[in-house]
Amino acid sequence: MDRLFNCIVHAHDWRITILAAIICVVGISGAIRLIERARIADGPRRMRLAVASGLTAALSAWATHFVAMQGFIAGVPLTYDMALTAISLIVALITVTFAACILIAGFSRLWRTMGVLIAISGIGAMHYTGMAALKVPAHISWEPWLVAASIGCSLLIAGLSGFFYKRAGLVRLIVAGVGGAVSIIVLHFFGMAALNIVPDPTYTVHGGLSPATMQAVATAIAVTVGGIAASLAYMAYSSRAGALRRIREAVDAMPDGLSFYDIDDRLVLWNARYAEVNPEMGPYLQVGASYRDLLMVGINEGRYIDAVGREEAWITERLTARRQLSSSVEEQTSNGRWLRIQDRRTSEGGIVTVCNDITILKRDAQALAEARDAAEEANVAKSHFLANMSHEIRTPLNGVIGLAQALAKTELTPTQREMLDLMQSSGQTLQTLLGDILDLARVESGKLELTEDAFHLAAAAREAAQLYAEIAREKALGFHVDIDIEEGLWVRGDAVRLKQVLTNLISNAVKFTTEGFVSLTVQQGPEQNGLPTVRFTVEDTGIGFDAATRTRLFQRHHAAIRRLGPGPVHLPPSGRNDGRCAGLRKRTGRRISLHPDHAVGSMRRARPQGIQTRSAD
């Protein structure tokens, strides 16, 4: 270690040593930067950058060695063999460029370590070839252990630098450059410490490159390395400045107002649209302006309608909302405009604010709401009209039917009797149609009311079914009525509407069934919310229809029925049926159940084949 200390402190001029170290750090850092740029390039540019990085590293190492040699105090005149000096430079150029290509081909830890070790091995060969080029009037010998230490230590330092290096910012780049430079400097000074020079006056030196010539060459190469480093720095600055300029142009071209505030909620940057959306703040938008001060400007200008009379509370609410990870508020300004302000906090605590003018959206939404209300009013008026007209038409129609019934009691010819029967049948059909229209109009207008009368449930179901029993027998259909409830069960509700639903379902079942059977089943259903229910099931073997047709036919009626609200139908308050049930609740297929949250509704057919069930919603 004494030899190494003496070599560094006494055998070298420290000023030149520092200069050589600076050249090495700058050159190696520039070479690493070129390698990083080559990795993201492609084609010929990738190869050019790879070669440039290798040349930069090789020239830096060669210049470091020979600049440091200019500060070496040997005690005898130093000259250099031209051929060996040139060979040392060629060795460095070839090996280091090859190592750069390896680093670009793969940037995993294995590839980085392998490339760095090849590079430092080539630089070691360059160093000892350059030492062999020394021509001095003396005997030269080497300390083997220091030679081995110089190579081993430099390989270790370079290998660790390559293994732990990760592509990142300027700091990591400088650290990697320093690591590579230290490995080269260790190689040089350990090698120089291993050198023994014993002057011999009898030894004569002929020819060779003089120290002045080598100084000029080393200086030229150092200047070249410095120029490469300066070019890289300028390229990096220009690239970053160009990227920032493009980002700024993109931000200014945004249709939305954008601003950025730092962790202290002070304005950092904004685009032109932000100033346009906030014209009152325009003269006050400057770097460093706090968001609270900008809010105060708007309040002083009378911009915020919601803040009138509660300025401090309003500001507190806004600032509290901005402290969240993200927030969005809509506010109306004094000139009638609507703004949507969205704040999102960044990972470093800053806040990005986006301000949109949504005045047109608000106006469109208001226009749509007014159009919707007008359409609903027109629909209600239509329903009222249908309800009134159905009622008004029914009055004279009842008179016609009554007169036809009175006429039927008089003496008529067979032809007149046939015509009268046809008149009565048509009148009954028209009366039924008017009743259906009136019911539908009442449903849509919300005027359909369900009564609460006590009635015998089983008897009501049988009466509804027997109306179509004869028609089913004429079509040779099986017709079954199965009432599986207490025979004496009475309930409170609207018996007329229940019969209407059942007759509609049974009528459709008989009408659309050509063979097979039609059945009505009445049984106790599952409890709903702790209350008993009754389930009515109408089944048939008719054609049915698919879900798409069902939606098309009954969607409008379902929407109207839902406006009715609950329909009260009560089970008696005694025995096992104590509780409430009301209305008819939609079930799968055409199955219906009494339930307190649903009202009597329209028919539905389902299933394209097989046994069909009908239900009402």
Side-chain angles (χ1 to χ4, degrees):
M1 295 303 292
D2 292 337
R3 291 175 63 92
L4 178 62
F5 179 79
N6 183 68
C7 177
I8 296 174
V9 176
H10 300 292
H12 283 80
D13 188 330
W14 64 272
R15 294 166 296 183
I16 298 179
T17 300
I18 293 176
L19 176 60
I22 293 174
I23 293 173
C24 192
V25 171
V26 172
I28 298 301
S29 299
I32 294 173
R33 178 59 179 164
L34 284 172
I35 290 174
E36 290 182 348
R37 293 176 64 86
R39 285 185 50 77
I40 60 176
D42 53 8
R45 185 169 183 268
R46 181 185 181 95
M47 183 56 64
R48 289 195 299 269
L49 289 172
V51 173
S53 64
L55 294 177
T56 302
L59 291 174
S60 301
W62 194 88
T64 300
H65 171 70
F66 282 99
V67 168
M69 286 297 295
Q70 300 307 306
F72 179 58
I73 304 172
V76 293
L78 297 179
T79 57
Y80 299 87
D81 183 88
M82 183 181 300
L84 289 176
T85 302
I87 290 173
S88 69
L89 178 59
I90 293 172
V91 168
L93 291 175
I94 294 174
T95 55
V96 176
T97 302
F98 176 68
C101 294
I102 292 178
L103 289 172
I104 294 172
F107 210 65
S108 64
R109 284 184 170 177
L110 177 61
W111 284 86
R112 290 199 308 268
T113 304
M114 182 171 61
V116 168
L117 292 179
I118 291 175
I120 203 66
S121 298
I123 293 172
M126 177 273 296
H127 171 76
Y128 285 104
T129 302
M131 294 294 293
L134 282 175
K135 300 178 68 175
V136 294
H139 294 288
I140 297 178
S141 62
W142 303 85
E143 293 291 338
W145 69 274
L146 280 174
V147 173
S150 68
I151 296 174
C153 291
S154 61
L155 289 173
L156 177 63
I157 296 172
L160 291 175
S161 299
F163 184 81
F164 290 107
Y165 173 72
K166 290 184 179 179
R167 185 178 175 187
L170 179 62
V171 175
R172 288 184 180 270
L173 180 64
I174 294 176
V175 170
V178 170
V182 168
S183 65
I184 295 173
I185 293 171
V186 167
L187 174 67
H188 174 83
F189 283 104
F190 270 77
M192 294 300 296
L195 181 64
N196 294 314
I197 299 178
V198 179
D200 186 355
T202 63
Y203 184 80
T204 303
V205 177
H206 300 284
L209 298 174
S210 65
T213 303
M214 287 303 303
Q215 183 177 0
V217 172
T219 302
I221 294 178
V223 171
T224 302
V225 172
I228 294 174
S231 299
L232 288 175
Y234 177 75
M235 291 169 58
Y237 171 79
S238 299
S239 176
R240 179 166 297 183
L244 291 176
R245 183 177 63 257
R246 289 190 292 270
I247 292 174
R248 180 70 188 187
E249 291 174 356
V251 170
D252 281 334
M254 290 180 59
D256 302 327
L258 178 70
S259 62
F260 176 69
Y261 293 80
D262 61 15
I263 192 172
D264 296 322
D265 215 2
R266 295 188 176 277
L267 186 61
V268 176
L269 60 87
W270 64 96
N271 63 357
R273 181 58 179 165
Y274 189 75
E276 293 175 4
V277 175
N278 302 278
E280 300 86 353
M281 299 180 183
Y284 302 92
L285 291 177
Q286 56 185 357
V287 176
S290 70
Y291 187 72
R292 181 185 181 90
D293 293 340
L294 295 177
L295 289 180
M296 287 301 302
V297 170
I299 289 177
N300 295 333
E301 294 288 338
R303 170 179 176 173
Y304 307 115
I305 297 177
D306 294 341
V308 176
R310 51 186 298 271
E311 288 78 5
E312 285 299 327
W314 184 84
I315 290 178
T316 301
E317 292 174 1
R318 289 293 299 274
L319 295 179
T320 301
R322 279 174 66 84
R323 296 190 189 100
Q324 301 175 3
L325 183 62
S326 63
S327 64
S328 178
V329 297
E330 294 181 359
E331 62 184 20
Q332 186 177 16
T333 61
S334 57
N335 56 6
R337 293 187 303 125
W338 280 90
L339 300 178
R340 178 185 290 124
I341 302 172
Q342 303 174 74
D343 299 318
R344 182 171 292 274
R345 188 171 292 277
T346 66
S347 59
E348 295 181 354
I351 299 176
V352 176
T353 299
V354 178
C355 189
N356 304 319
D357 190 332
I358 58 172
T359 305
I360 296 177
L361 294 178
K362 285 291 186 178
R363 290 173 181 172
D364 291 345
Q366 183 178 1
L368 289 175
E370 292 174 353
R372 179 202 61 202
D373 295 340
E376 290 181 353
E377 290 177 0
N379 185 55
V380 172
K382 180 263 299 180
S383 300
H384 289 169
F385 173 77
L386 286 177
N388 293 333
M389 289 302 297
S390 299
H391 182 74
E392 296 297 329
I393 293 174
R394 181 178 292 184
T395 299
L397 179 61
N398 287 336
V400 172
I401 294 175
L403 292 176
Q405 291 175 347
L407 184 60
K409 297 179 180 180
T410 62
E411 300 238 350
L412 300 172
T413 64
T415 301
Q416 291 174 333
R417 177 69 61 184
E418 182 179 355
M419 294 174 61
L420 183 60
D421 291 341
L422 182 59
M423 182 187 302
Q424 286 181 315
S425 176
S426 299
Q428 293 293 338
T429 301
L430 182 57
Q431 189 177 40
T432 301
L433 292 175
L434 286 175
D436 292 340
I437 293 174
L438 179 61
D439 289 343
L440 179 59
R442 286 175 176 174
V443 168
E444 292 187 344
S445 63
K447 291 185 176 181
L448 181 63
E449 297 180 356
L450 302 179
T451 63
E452 282 194 63
D453 299 324
F455 66 93
H456 191 279
L457 184 59
R462 288 194 186 94
E463 291 174 2
Q466 291 305 318
L467 293 175
Y468 298 93
E470 184 61 29
I471 299 176
R473 282 192 290 271
E474 291 177 358
K475 297 180 69 173
L477 298 176
F479 192 84
H480 313 290
V481 178
D482 183 11
I483 299 179
D484 188 16
I485 59 175
E486 291 183 3
E487 186 61 31
L489 178 64
W490 282 68
V491 297
R492 295 185 62 85
D494 196 326
V496 175
R497 298 300 174 191
L498 176 61
K499 290 181 181 180
Q500 184 180 13
V501 172
L502 293 179
T503 55
N504 283 336
L505 295 176
I506 297 171
S507 172
N508 273 358
V510 173
K511 179 179 179 180
F512 293 102
T513 302
T514 57
E515 60 180 11
F517 71 91
V518 175
S519 69
L520 168 65
T521 303
V522 183
Q523 59 187 358
Q524 185 171 353
E527 291 188 354
Q528 300 285 341
N529 299 324
L531 302 177
T533 62
V534 177
R535 173 175 294 174
F536 298 81
T537 304
V538 177
E539 294 180 310
D540 65 72
T541 55
I543 59 174
F545 50 71
D546 56 22
T549 305
R550 177 187 63 192
T551 302
R552 177 175 58 83
L553 290 176
F554 299 117
Q555 187 63 36
R556 176 170 170 266
H557 301 305
H558 291 166
I561 290 166
R562 291 189 183 96
R563 292 197 295 266
L564 286 174
V569 179
H570 303 280
L571 291 175
S574 62
R576 67 181 181 89
N577 292 321
D578 187 16
R580 293 173 59 87
C581 65
L584 298 178
R585 186 184 182 194
K586 179 174 64 179
R587 290 289 180 185
T588 303
R590 286 171 230 155
R591 182 175 292 121
I592 57 175
S593 298
L594 293 176
H595 190 267
D597 294 332
H598 296 78
V600 175
S602 61
M603 298 175 291
R604 174 176 302 187
R605 292 176 58 84
R607 299 184 184 179
Q609 60 185 6
I611 297 177
Q612 313 298 323
T613 61
R614 290 179 169 82
S615 69
D617 196 3

